[in-house]
Amino acid sequence: MGLSPQFPSRHINHDSKYPVTTSDISETRLIDSRTSYPVSELMASLQSFYEDMIITLLSEPHLIVASSDSVGAKKLRA
C-alpha cells in the first residue's frame, strides 16, 4: 500500500556513520543546504514560508472559491 500524494517523500539512509535523512523539506529554504540543519531563524522562516505559499495560492487564477466568509484577523508581532 503506497502513501497518498499529500505525504512528503522521506527516507533514512543508514549506510554512513550517521543516519542521513532526506525529505521534501530538504528542498525548501527552511533547511540550510550546507549543513542539512534547519535555518537559524526557523520560526520566522517558517512563518514567511507559509505567508508566501498563501499569497501564491491566492494569486492562482484557476483557484475556485466555493464560498466566501468574512472573519476578523489580527497579526501580532511578538
Side-chain angles (χ1 to χ4, degrees):
M1 174 191 275
L3 294 174
S4 69
Q6 294 91 349
F7 289 98
S9 63
R10 58 232 180 249
H11 177 74
I12 301 175
N13 183 356
H14 296 281
D15 294 336
S16 63
K17 181 177 179 182
Y18 301 103
V20 177
T21 61
T22 57
S23 73
D24 289 344
I25 197 169
S26 301
E27 304 298 320
T28 70
R29 65 180 187 229
L30 301 175
I31 301 296
D32 185 337
S33 62
R34 295 171 291 143
T35 63
S36 296
Y37 288 122
V39 293
S40 60
E41 295 293 326
L42 182 60
M43 187 184 307
S45 296
L46 185 61
Q47 179 175 344
S48 173
F49 184 71
Y50 274 101
E51 288 171 354
D52 290 348
M53 284 193 329
I54 290 169
I55 290 170
T56 299
L57 287 171
L58 292 175
S59 66
E60 171 59 42
H62 301 291
L63 179 67
I64 298 171
V65 178
S67 67
S68 61
D69 294 323
S70 296
V71 295
K74 186 188 309 184
K75 182 176 179 178
L76 302 174
R77 183 179 293 189

